[in-house]
Amino acid sequence: YPVYIFLAKLVHRAFASHAAGLAFLSACFGAISLVPLYFLIRLLLIAEPTPGRGAALVCLLILFNPIVWFNGVRPMSDLTGFFFVTTTQCLLLTSLLDGERSWPRRRVLWLLGAGLAGISIGVRLQAIWLVGPLLLSGMWRLRPLRLATALCFTGAVSLWLVPLVSLSGGPTRFVRSFSLLISTALPAEPLLSRFTLQRAAFGAVDTLVSSWQQVTFGGAILLLAGIGGIILARDNRRLLAVVSLLFVPYAVYHYLLQNTDTLRYTIPVTPLVALLAAVPVLRCARRIPFLIPLAAVGVVAAATVITLPALAAYH
């Protein structure tokens, strides 16, 4: 996580411990991720009723998810990576979908997103599954920008990869160290390495439900998400396709190739579940006044009861 560690070194002198400096990044980037997250979700929901209120509800579902909330104070790279990925997705998708903007402005947004995609992978390598598919899709559609996109992306990657390889003792030692990491993880972590139906079932529950930390809470969210998926498949397949492009590749990668017991790895899957879960609420809110505020209060209350004791114990 070279970019994450570099950022930590910048703020480290202000803190008495390594853990506090690293956790400060999680707190800051977890908090400000609300901004790109809101604009990303509002852009996705632009064809749905009240996209602004819908985006607010989805953001609340994501940021009050117990695992997201809890990791906002942990000295880990997940929330910092979440901010960089969300900002990248917001820039790239705004350029692709907002046809009302002038071409020069869309080009600037796209190339900024391409550069930030390269930085995001330096924060967390797994980010490639969250920004890569969108980047490739855009390169296929924006043919005049293919070369510039490739240059921005590779240039940004080189900013952290070259120092990383150098500090690792050269390409040979870096490849040897990285290969050791992969060879250690592959026999143990992925579902594909030791596939059983029981592991597959538990992995699905870990990926989609366990991050909500309480079976009733998680089950209700997942039920709403299933209904939302059916609604979009019937009424708004374009939105379903875009959401799938953004989040499903990582969800599949996580389910098959990562240790699903490590629940913080599900943080990038949370927007997918939260957005789908919000769809039926938004549709029903046409007829039922105050449904969105009531849903928001319910989510915050449930998440608070679950998360605050855990935060106190962790402190």
Side-chain angles (χ1 to χ4, degrees), residues 143-164:
R143 295 185 180 183
L145 293 181
R146 285 180 179 176
L147 178 59
T149 301
L151 290 175
C152 285
F153 177 76
T154 54
V157 169
S158 68
L159 289 177
W160 57 263
L161 184 58
V162 171
L164 177 62

Side-chain angles (χ1 to χ4, degrees), residues 91-111:
L91 289 171
L92 295 177
L93 203 62
T94 300
S95 177
L96 284 175
L97 298 185
D98 194 351
E100 296 181 0
R101 294 178 184 269
S102 64
W103 171 245
R105 190 173 181 182
R106 290 180 63 196
R107 181 174 57 194
V108 169
L109 288 173
W110 176 260
L111 295 179

